[in-house]
């Protein structure tokens, strides 16, 4: 997180020398290598992580993601099928297998997939928006001010987004309720 990738790389390699079966160290080594664009090495690190802990969901996600982005869809599908064998009821694994396989009839993600994906993202949602310099609530408030500058407290406002109510906070003074 501090951008000290070389130090992180050395730390994970040292941890692996101390414990050659350290699944977390292999996973994190894969993350660093992936960030450096060293994708073949990252794939190897993720595969080692899964060899020592085949129940680690985020390792399957990262391993499959590298294959998918490289256009190696069948390799990604194989990773997701392996994950599904480990955890047959996992909605994310089910969805990714179906997506990579081009499964007919997959018109939308299952409710379980959406729930698990967004629940997993909820803890870091506001931080990610801050890093992205997310300005939608301010833009909406500014546009509404231009359109109806004298409409403060005139009507009800519903923030029906999928976030944490950031628009509602900015529009509170403009709404009756």
């Amino acid at each position: 997180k501090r951008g000290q990738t070389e130090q992180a790389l050395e730390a994970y390699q040292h941890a692996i020398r101390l414990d050659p079966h350290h699944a977390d160290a292999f996973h994190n080594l894969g993350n660093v290598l992936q960030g450096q664009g060293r994708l073949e090495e990252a794939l190897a690190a993720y595969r080692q992580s899964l060899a020592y802990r085949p129940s680690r969901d985020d390792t399957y996600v990262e391993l499959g993601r590298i294959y998918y982005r490289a256009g190696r869809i069948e390799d990604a599908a194989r990773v997701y099928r392996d994950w599904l064998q480990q955890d047959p009821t996992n909605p994310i694994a089910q969805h990714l297998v179906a997506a990579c396989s081009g499964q007919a009839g997959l018109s939308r993600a299952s409710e379980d997939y959406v729930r698990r994906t967004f629940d997993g993202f909820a803890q870091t949602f506001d931080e990610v928006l801050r890093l992205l310099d997310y300005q939608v609530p301010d833009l909406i408030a500014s546009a509404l001010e231009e359109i109806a500058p004298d409409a403060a407290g005139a009507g009800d406002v519903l923030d029906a987004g999928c976030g944490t109510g950031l628009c509602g906070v900015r529009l509170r003074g403009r709404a009756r309720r």
Side-chain angles (χ1 to χ4, degrees), residues 73-155:
I73 307 304
E74 184 49 45
D75 289 329
R78 181 182 36 78
V79 167
Y80 298 140
R81 283 191 299 270
D82 291 348
W83 182 14
L84 200 53
Q85 275 190 308
Q86 288 293 320
D87 188 0
T89 62
N90 186 303
I92 295 175
Q94 291 169 349
H95 178 81
L96 293 173
V97 166
C100 284
S101 303
Q103 184 177 17
L106 183 65
S107 61
R108 69 180 199 89
S110 73
E111 288 181 26
D112 287 340
Y113 170 80
V114 171
R115 185 177 305 110
R116 184 167 299 180
T117 299
F118 281 91
D119 285 352
F121 187 46
Q123 290 180 336
T124 59
F125 183 79
D126 287 332
E127 175 64 16
V128 169
L129 291 182
R130 187 186 65 71
L131 292 171
L132 293 173
D133 193 26
Y134 183 70
Q135 297 179 22
V136 171
D138 293 332
L139 293 171
I140 290 173
S142 294
L144 190 55
E145 181 63 34
E146 281 182 36
I147 293 168
D150 299 325

